[in-house]
Amino acid sequence: MTALHALWMGLVLLGVLGVLQTQAQAPVSLQPNFQQDKFLGRWFTSGLASNSSWFREKKNVLSMCMSVVAPTADGGLNLTSTFLRKEQCETRTLLLRPAGAPGCYTYTSPHWGSTHDVWVAATNYDEYALLYTAGTRGLGQDFHMATLYSRTQTPSADIREKFSTFAKTRGFTEDAVVFLPQTDKCMEERK
């Protein structure tokens, strides 16, 4: 009986440790009761923070881009972003596949071929969304990014402050947080 009791207690402790380990690995909390249908539509990428060397080199020349989020047949999302690059509009589409709880997705980077996880950490659907992305790029370099999506090109000071606070809680420094300047170029929805 004592051996059975010890075995049972050992399994309970392993279960508790497993829960603690799972919670420690969750890099960001998700929007409670995330409603994917309300997240669809046009967004403007208004703010970014990243640990990427590319981002640090280019952050002063980046401008706001427009993204359209549309549903896929498998319950995922197509995220189509149009942005200005070398004075021309470029469009890229990422397929975000569901990865667990609502608001959690994964995608494969077309450039690196690596898998990235995306969490919708907070949104009110009508004004803003805060996203966090984590993965590995190139030769095992950890990649982290916080993104502010806004329904307009002029997010309020409160929303900008929410994003700044969110990025800092994710470990980004003040100089890694960038609010992207507006542009009229590449902001029309493509048919």
Side-chain angles (χ1 to χ4, degrees), residues 61 63 83-90 183 185-186:
V61 297
S63 61
F83 53 93
L84 186 63
R85 182 172 183 225
K86 297 182 182 178
E87 295 303 312
Q88 294 195 17
C89 297
E90 283 194 27
T183 180
K185 297 177 181 177
C186 310

Side-chain angles (χ1 to χ4, degrees), residues 11 31 76 82 126 146 173 184:
L11 290 174
Q31 168 66 39
T82 304
D126 297 325
T173 59
D184 292 332

Side-chain angles (χ1 to χ4, degrees), residues 4-191:
L4 185 58
H5 185 269
L7 177 62
W8 189 83
M9 286 302 290
L11 290 174
V12 168
L13 285 173
L14 282 174
V16 168
L17 289 174
V19 167
L20 292 174
Q21 183 179 14
T22 300
Q23 289 174 344
Q25 290 173 349
V28 69
S29 61
L30 292 170
Q31 168 66 39
N33 304 311
F34 179 73
Q35 298 174 44
Q36 182 170 288
D37 61 323
K38 289 184 175 184
F39 187 66
L40 303 176
R42 183 177 68 181
W43 292 96
F44 296 96
T45 303
S46 302
L48 291 173
S50 178
N51 68 332
S52 159
S53 58
W54 173 90
F55 175 77
R56 287 190 302 272
E57 292 166 10
K58 302 288 184 188
K59 69 181 184 179
N60 294 328
V61 297
L62 296 175
S63 61
M64 189 176 291
C65 72
M66 184 187 67
S67 296
V68 176
V69 180
T72 62
D74 68 353
L77 298 172
N78 272 328
L79 174 66
T80 303
S81 298
T82 304
F83 53 93
L84 186 63
R85 182 172 183 225
K86 297 182 182 178
E87 295 303 312
Q88 294 195 17
C89 297
E90 283 194 27
T91 300
R92 298 227 174 109
T93 299
L94 292 177
L95 173 60
L96 302 178
R97 292 191 167 87
C104 184
Y105 301 92
T106 186
Y107 74 91
T108 301
S109 167
H111 182 73
W112 295 102
S114 54
T115 301
H116 294 54
D117 296 314
V118 179
W119 295 268
V120 180
T123 183
N124 68 0
Y125 305 102
D126 297 325
E127 296 174 291
Y128 75 94
L130 304 177
L131 280 71
Y132 182 73
T133 304
T136 305
R137 296 180 99 158
L139 301 170
Q141 298 172 333
D142 283 341
F143 170 75
H144 302 276
M145 183 168 63
T147 307
L148 168 61
Y149 280 167
S150 175
R151 290 290 189 186
T152 70
Q153 292 189 51
T154 54
S156 70
D158 287 347
I159 291 171
R160 291 167 61 102
E161 184 58 35
K162 272 184 205 274
F163 174 67
S164 194
T165 300
F166 170 69
K168 290 174 188 171
T169 63
R170 303 306 325 141
F172 297 106
T173 59
E174 183 78 36
D175 66 328
V177 177
V178 176
F179 292 99
L180 302 172
Q182 284 180 248
T183 180
D184 292 332
K185 297 177 181 177
C186 310
M187 291 297 151
E188 303 85 34
E189 284 191 56
R190 304 230 168 168
K191 305 292 181 199

